[in-house]
């Protein structure tokens, strides 16, 4: 009788433990999905800002065709991208192209002073921040998931929960690697 | 790796909060033990009564903290259209933290300050004085928003409520028991008491000093939560410089929020009480220089990825 009770208690405790581990893994996986969706939402927001921004800059600096084309091309590519690596690569290109566009804007005091551009600039900097925080939040969640999938005891149940390690969101940013070159 | 420092600071402050809350529990136990030693078993009933009253009085204000504090500070809720830039900043931090969007409020006051409250992230409110919105630039304000959102994410309203309940219960217990001594009740009627004079003197001292000790612990917990919120803010923004320069602005500023009710002093980002009027041990915030130094230490490790 006594052994039966002990066995029952052990079985129940084990079952609860397994359920909680299983749920934790599933939850971590869902968090990663949600975090990635957030990146896409913010990227979409940024995409939507681009036509307006390009038009505004064009009004003052119509001959900077190269820069505009780069931005538009990067945007088109980003719209078509899917999957973490592809989205991240396209994201990096847009970020770079936008930087180029803002650098061009620096050279036109009239443009910089225009109310339209000032309003756009705040929109753009908050969107840029939101994109980068969304990336950071995604990577934090991937880190938590990957740690759980690779460490004992959660690793034993990763297969059962159909959860695997996920890819980090890495944006190619040449600016962080090479010193900025200044051209006059 | 710049990530090490704020993570280390976060876990150190969490550990210290736990130890302080445990000491608070130990203090309750000590008071009850002293009461039993001094008055005998007849006092047992007082303990649940004191804890119950403290629970009821604090629970109400904890549960409705979002609306109560707004009323006490005179804060007015605003919509996105009233200040889109501020909402942008807050949305940025909600994305970084994964927390839901809080309600936003403004306090008409030229002294720069801010606070957050609410029983859980779904019922959170974050408030700014008009002063802080005027003097701070984007990065500084982002640091402040991140600090306040950290309070929400770390559930500091709950921690403060638990601390206040325990301190309140201890104060009430000690109050009731000292009154009982005054009126000479209890003790003489119980022949089964401990009659060791040393034990009696020690219990008396415990009963008298307990409320002060509880207050000290409560303040220490509040200071730990402030330091934790600074570290968590850096975890959100990965930009210690923003919050650091915001704190420098607050340190340089000598104006003080007008309604300085001590009841809500602990919720502001900078203590609204004069530094001199509260001694260091009873302060609800760590000295601002100490907080700036801690953030500087995080910065020296370079920008995080």
């Amino acid at each position: 009788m006594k052994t039966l009770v002990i066995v029952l208690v052990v079985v129940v405790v084990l079952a609860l433990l397994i359920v909680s581990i299983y749920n934790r893994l599933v939850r971590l996986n869902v968090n990663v999905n949600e975090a990635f969706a957030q990146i896409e939402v913010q990227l979409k927001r940024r995409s939507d800002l681009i036509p307006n921004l390009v038009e505004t800059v064009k009004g003052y600096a119509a001959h900077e065709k190269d820069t505009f084309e780069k931005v538009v091309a990067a945007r088109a590519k980003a719209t078509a991208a899917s999957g973490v690596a592809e989205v991240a690569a396209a994201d990096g290109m847009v970020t770079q192209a936008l930087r180029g566009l803002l650098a061009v804007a620096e050279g036109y005091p009239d443009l910089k002073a225009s109310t339209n551009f000032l309003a756009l600039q705040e929109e753009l900097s908050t969107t840029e921040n939101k994109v980068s925080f969304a990336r950071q939040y995604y990577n934090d969640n991937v880190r938590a998931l990957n740690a759980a999938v690779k460490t004992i005891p959660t690793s034993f149940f990763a297969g059962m929960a159909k959860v695997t390690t996920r890819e980090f969101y890495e944006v190619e940013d040449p600016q962080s690697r090479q010193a900025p070159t200044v051209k006059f | 790796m710049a990530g090490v420092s704020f993570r280390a600071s976060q876990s150190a402050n969490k550990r210290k909060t736990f130890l302080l809350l445990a000491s608070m529990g130990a203090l309750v136990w000590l008071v009850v033990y002293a009461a039993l030693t001094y008055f005998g078993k007849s006092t047992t009933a007082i303990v649940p009564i004191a804890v119950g009253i403290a629970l009821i009085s604090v629970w109400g204000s904890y549960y409705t903290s979002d609306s109560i504090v707004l009323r006490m500070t005179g804060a007015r809720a605003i919509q996105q259209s009233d200040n889109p830039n501020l909402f942008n900043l807050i949305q940025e931090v909600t994305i970084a933290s994964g927390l839901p969007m809080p309600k936003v409020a403004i306090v008409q006051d030229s002294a720069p300050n801010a606070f957050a409250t609410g029983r859980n992230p779904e019922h959170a409110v974050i408030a700014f004085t008009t002063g802080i919105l005027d003097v701070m630039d984007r990065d500084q304000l982002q640091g402040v928003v991140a600090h306040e959102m950290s309070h929400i994410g770390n559930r500091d309203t709950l921690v403060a409520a638990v601390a206040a309940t325990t301190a309140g219960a201890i104060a009430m217990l000690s109050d009731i028991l000292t009154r009982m001594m005054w009126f000479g009740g209890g003790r003489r009627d119980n022949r089964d008491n401990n009659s060791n004079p040393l034990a009696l003197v020690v219990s008396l001292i415990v009963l008298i000093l307990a409320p002060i000790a509880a207050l000290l612990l409560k303040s220490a917990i509040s200071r730990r939560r402030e330091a934790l919120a600074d570290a968590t803010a850096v975890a959100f923004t990965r930009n210690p410089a923003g919050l650091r320069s915001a704190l420098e602005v607050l340190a340089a500023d000598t104006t003080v929020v007008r309604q300085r009710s001590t009841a809500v002093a602990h919720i502001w980002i900078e203590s609204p009480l004069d530094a001199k009027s509260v001694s260091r041990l009873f302060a609800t915030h760590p000295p601002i220089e100490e907080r700036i130094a801690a953030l500087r230490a995080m910065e020296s490790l370079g920008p995080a990825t």
Side-chain angles (χ1 to χ4, degrees):
Chain A
M1 186 60 201
K2 210 172 175 189
T3 42
L4 187 71
V5 171
I6 291 171
V7 166
L8 264 177
V9 167
V10 168
V11 166
V12 167
V13 166
L14 269 179
L16 285 177
L17 211 67
I18 290 170
V19 166
S20 86
I21 287 176
Y22 180 92
N23 285 348
R24 193 171 101 86
L25 280 165
V26 170
R27 201 165 46 239
L28 285 169
N29 198 40
V30 169
N31 287 351
V32 171
N33 289 340
E34 280 177 359
F36 187 66
Q38 180 67 264
I39 295 181
E40 288 189 309
V41 167
Q42 298 309 328
L43 288 177
K44 175 80 173 47
R45 268 178 52 103
R46 186 172 68 176
S47 261
D48 293 346
L49 279 179
I50 287 173
N52 205 346
L53 184 72
V54 167
E55 281 313 305
T56 308
V57 179
K58 246 185 198 164
Y60 293 82
H63 55 279
E64 306 270 6
K65 272 211 178 91
D66 269 11
T67 322
F68 300 138
E69 273 164 15
K70 231 184 237 168
V71 174
V72 171
R75 178 177 183 256
K77 210 170 214 172
T79 324
S82 71
V84 175
E86 208 178 307
V87 170
D91 174 2
M93 277 181 65
V94 175
T95 308
Q96 232 181 302
L98 278 175
R99 227 176 251 154
L101 186 65
L102 289 178
V104 163
E106 283 296 313
Y108 297 85
D110 288 352
L111 165 64
K112 274 174 67 190
S114 77
T115 46
N116 201 1
F117 184 72
L118 284 176
L120 269 175
Q121 211 169 20
E122 160 65 20
E123 269 310 292
L124 199 65
S125 60
T126 187
T127 307
E128 221 31 91
N129 279 348
K130 282 170 186 165
V131 169
S132 88
F133 283 146
R135 291 180 197 132
Q136 174 188 306
Y137 186 66
Y138 172 83
N139 283 337
D140 283 351
N141 277 298
V142 170
R143 192 171 300 126
L145 175 73
N146 289 357
V149 170
K150 283 179 189 160
T151 52
I152 295 169
T154 31
S155 53
F156 300 142
F157 303 96
M160 192 172 98
K162 296 194 183 65
V163 171
T164 52
T165 56
R166 300 281 289 265
E167 212 176 333
F168 282 104
Y169 190 93
E170 277 160 323
V171 178
E172 275 291 310
D173 190 356
Q175 251 200 8
S176 61
R177 266 175 229 159
Q178 67 202 30
T181 49
V182 184
K183 277 184 220 148
F184 292 100
Chain B
M1 269 292 282
V4 178
S5 185
F6 64 76
R7 293 213 171 89
S9 171
Q10 273 178 297
S11 53
N13 280 305
K14 277 183 188 159
R15 204 170 50 238
K16 280 176 193 154
T17 312
F18 179 76
L19 282 176
L20 286 165
L21 282 172
S23 321
M24 205 75 142
L27 188 63
V28 174
W29 179 82
L30 202 66
V31 168
V32 172
Y33 191 78
L36 290 179
T37 315
Y38 197 87
F39 294 100
K41 290 199 182 71
S42 65
T43 48
T44 331
I46 296 174
V47 180
I49 294 174
V51 173
I53 294 175
L55 255 182
I56 292 166
S57 65
V58 175
W59 178 254
S61 60
Y62 159 68
Y63 199 76
T64 53
S65 56
D66 43 346
S67 47
I68 283 185
V69 172
L70 285 189
R71 228 178 304 133
M72 284 181 79
T73 54
R76 187 177 47 85
I78 61 164
Q79 301 305 314
Q80 174 142 26
S81 51
D82 296 326
N83 192 340
N85 289 10
L86 179 61
F87 269 77
N88 277 343
L89 274 173
I90 299 171
Q91 279 159 2
E92 286 166 23
V93 180
T94 59
I95 290 167
S97 60
L99 291 166
M101 184 74 189
K103 277 183 287 209
V104 184
I106 296 288
V107 181
Q108 288 287 337
D109 199 312
S110 56
N113 224 331
F115 68 80
T117 185
R119 66 178 183 274
N120 58 27
E122 285 73 32
H123 291 86
V125 56
I126 174 168
F128 304 85
T129 62
T130 43
I132 206 169
L133 298 179
D134 290 340
V135 296
M136 286 197 182
D137 67 25
R138 202 173 203 288
D139 273 5
Q140 294 167 335
L141 213 49
Q142 188 188 54
V144 171
V145 170
H147 173 96
E148 298 308 335
M149 294 294 287
S150 304
H151 278 312
I152 297 170
N154 292 332
R155 304 244 173 179
D156 282 343
T157 313
L158 178 62
V159 173
V162 170
T165 308
T166 337
I170 289 171
M172 205 169 309
L173 265 179
S174 154
D175 192 46
I176 296 172
L177 295 170
T178 17
R179 266 164 221 271
M180 279 172 67
M181 279 177 224
W182 248 217
F183 294 108
R187 201 175 140 53
R188 264 164 296 161
D189 311 334
N190 288 296
R191 288 289 123 202
D192 59 342
N193 280 347
N194 189 336
S195 48
N196 178 352
L198 186 68
L200 291 179
V201 170
V202 170
S203 348
L204 198 63
I205 293 172
V206 165
L207 287 181
I208 293 169
L209 291 184
I212 302 168
L215 216 58
L216 283 175
L217 283 173
K218 199 176 98 177
S219 312
I221 289 170
S222 171
R223 289 198 297 273
R224 279 311 109 220
R225 300 316 279 185
E226 289 301 325
L228 173 62
D230 285 349
T232 310
V234 176
F236 290 164
T237 64
R238 308 286 153 96
N239 178 18
L243 182 57
R244 194 252 306 148
S245 78
L247 287 177
E248 281 167 355
V249 169
L250 294 177
D253 179 84
T254 49
T255 51
V256 162
V257 176
R258 253 174 292 130
Q259 62 274 66
R260 36 188 190 159
S261 156
T262 48
V264 287
H266 60 276
I267 64 173
W268 298 90
I269 183 170
E270 183 204 22
S271 174
L273 306 162
D274 294 326
K276 280 177 209 138
S277 70
V278 223
S279 93
R280 259 189 83 138
L281 280 175
F282 287 100
T284 53
H285 291 59
I288 204 153
E289 298 77 31
E290 206 171 273
R291 295 169 67 188
I292 291 170
L295 288 163
R296 274 195 179 287
M298 292 178 201
E299 270 177 80
S300 70
L301 293 162
T305 45

